[in-house]
Amino acid sequence: MLAGAGHAHALVLRALVRQPMPGVEVVVISPEPLAPYSGMVPGWLSGHYRFDEIAIDFPPLAAAAGARWCRDEIHALDPARRQLRLADGSTLDYDVLSLNVGSTLQPPPAEHAQMLPLRPLAMLHRRYENLLERWARAPADRPFVVTAVGGGAAGFEALLAVLTRLRALRPDHPVHGSLLTRGTRLLPGLAPAARRAAQRALDRAGVTVQFGSGWCTSVDRSDVVLWATGAEAHGWQRDPARRGSLAVDEQGFVRIDELLRSVSHPQVFATGDCASWSGQALPKAGVHAVRMGPVLAGNLRAALRVPAAAGDLRVHRPQRHFLALLATGDGRAIASRGPFGAEGAWAWRLKDCIDRRFLQQFVATQATPPNASQPAKTLNPLADVSARHSGESP
């Protein structure tokens, strides 16, 4: 059971196209068919890409892998019974479960401002289209105010991208931007040169930055608030009654070991934002889910004892340093790795090339027919992907 349409699960399905698992039924569950690639979201927000250009289409990818796709999401989990309760009330049994459900955000209620939380990514498309429709009708009698709350990469990139898009659509209508962060500096963890480049990008866009500041009544007077604070676990992960005996950290993220397995239930794997890495805190960034994907694919195969498995489960070793490329919405990007930072149009071209190449592998995969000549058999009887309905609490 693959719950969630994250980057790691896309790589698992790609691996299944290349090397099927005979005798295993694979079911993919996600609330939306199109899963946006996080690295290209700022380019879509700014108008550089269409949404379909940045998204992985999971139904055809699952079909190419010989898997079944189900449009739903987790409501509750009973790891002792190996059961999932879905939002539509149905219950699914599993032998091995993999969680790649990402994270969410719970912004405070606002009386005036339109709140635009940047997670979950699958819901961002509809919310942003609503914002653009509102922008097209907004009277030009006063400046339109966009505020980002959160001083990390998501808030920085999203604010610059949205300002670029709104100004391009209506050059006659002034737009003011501001960024609020509780921290004392912008983009902590990036190289000093990269942080200075980020401040220059904000200056070019006319953005005011407030440090040591968060949500307050004055922010609610903005027209739009881009909510980009720290990632939060989904409701079922935070609720003991809905997650059962699954081990989670203080914030509700699934605690995993170096094999990407739950520390409490070895039949459950978790990757990406929804997981909590033992021993060190990993940033909630798509690069980590991408790096986990090949290890997860091999370990799921090994956990199911498929004959083609290459033996023991593999250990995942997170990268200490990786190249961060932040789009600034003006045809430029900022590059940062370890202590080194730089900016320029070349960095945007590099980012665009890397991101397009990553997505292209799934477009090519969807066009490839599944290698399995026989339909998959179930290990745990599932009569249909719609599942059986049960009145019991999981």
Side-chain angles (χ1 to χ4, degrees):
M1 191 76 63
L2 304 180
H7 305 342
H9 280 175
L11 291 166
V12 169
L13 292 172
R14 181 172 177 268
L16 285 173
V17 173
R18 295 182 168 187
Q19 188 178 9
M21 292 192 291
V24 175
E25 180 179 20
V26 179
V27 179
V28 184
I29 303 166
S30 65
E32 299 289 338
L34 296 180
Y37 173 48
S38 59
M40 299 177 79
V41 166
W44 161 64
L45 291 173
S46 69
H48 185 80
Y49 307 115
R50 300 188 312 272
F51 186 76
D52 63 287
E53 290 181 298
I54 72 160
I56 300 172
D57 196 350
F58 262 75
L61 179 60
R68 299 184 182 185
W69 179 74
C70 174
R71 186 171 192 163
D72 215 317
E73 57 187 330
I74 298 176
H75 174 74
L77 169 65
D78 186 341
R81 295 183 182 179
R82 300 193 190 184
Q83 287 184 336
L84 285 180
R85 173 66 62 84
L86 302 182
D88 69 355
S90 60
T91 301
L92 292 178
D93 298 329
Y94 64 84
D95 290 289
V96 175
L97 170 66
S98 179
L99 300 169
N100 189 207
V101 295
S103 57
T104 189
L105 288 170
Q106 299 293 330
E111 293 185 8
H112 175 266
Q114 178 181 347
M115 300 296 292
L116 190 67
L118 298 184
R119 288 185 171 98
L121 288 176
M123 303 298 294
L124 186 57
H125 182 209
R126 195 173 301 115
R127 291 167 174 163
Y128 192 51
E129 291 299 323
N130 290 339
L131 167 60
L132 296 180
E133 290 176 7
R134 177 187 173 191
W135 173 241
R137 302 189 305 267
D141 56 347
R142 63 174 182 81
F144 196 80
V145 180
V146 181
T147 300
V149 180
F156 169 80
E157 288 189 286
L159 177 59
L160 291 176
V162 170
L163 292 176
T164 296
R165 184 73 174 276
L166 297 185
R167 288 166 176 168
L169 289 173
R170 295 185 62 181
D172 61 318
H173 193 166
V175 185
H176 293 174
S178 63
L179 188 150
L180 278 63
T181 174
R182 292 189 182 278
T184 57
R185 62 180 184 176
L186 191 67
L187 299 168
L190 263 61
R195 293 200 302 271
R196 291 193 295 270
Q199 184 60 62
R200 289 194 295 271
L202 293 172
D203 291 341
R204 290 195 300 270
V207 173
T208 59
V209 181
Q210 298 180 44
F211 295 100
S213 180
W215 175 255
C216 58
T217 305
S218 61
V219 179
D220 194 15
R221 290 196 287 269
S222 303
D223 293 285
V224 175
V225 173
L226 307 175
W227 195 258
T229 56
E232 300 175 38
H234 290 282
W236 68 266
Q237 295 172 242
R238 300 193 306 268
D239 185 352
R242 294 169 61 189
R243 67 171 184 255
S245 53
L246 185 69
V248 299
D249 67 11
E250 297 81 2
Q251 297 175 290
F253 296 109
V254 181
R255 292 177 55 210
I256 58 172
D257 60 20
E258 60 185 4
L259 302 175
L260 308 180
R261 296 184 307 185
S262 160
V263 298
S264 60
H265 296 82
Q267 305 85 16
V268 178
F269 291 76
T271 50
D273 280 9
C274 72
S276 175
W277 183 258
S278 298
Q280 70 179 101
L282 294 180
K284 301 298 184 184
V287 64
H288 290 295
V290 169
R291 296 291 181 180
M292 290 176 174
V295 177
L296 176 65
N299 286 356
L300 289 175
R301 189 178 299 272
L304 287 164
R305 295 185 176 87
V306 175
D312 295 336
L313 281 71
R314 290 171 53 193
V315 169
H316 174 67
R317 292 183 173 85
Q319 279 184 287
R320 290 187 60 190
H321 299 291
F322 57 87
L323 176 63
L325 292 164
L326 278 62
T328 54
D330 55 359
R332 300 161 64 89
I334 299 167
S336 179
R337 181 182 172 91
F340 303 104
E343 65 171 325
W346 64 267
W348 165 253
R349 291 193 295 270
L350 175 62
K351 175 177 172 58
D352 178 64
C353 179
I354 292 172
D355 291 342
R356 287 182 185 273
R357 185 170 57 191
F358 177 78
L359 273 192
Q360 183 57 39
Q361 64 184 319
F362 302 108
V363 175
T365 296
Q366 292 165 19
T368 304
N371 295 324
S373 58
Q374 299 295 328
K377 299 176 182 178
T378 57
L379 287 176
N380 212 352
L382 278 171
D384 188 85
V385 72
S386 62
R388 58 181 174 80
H389 289 261
S390 170
E392 298 180 1
S393 298

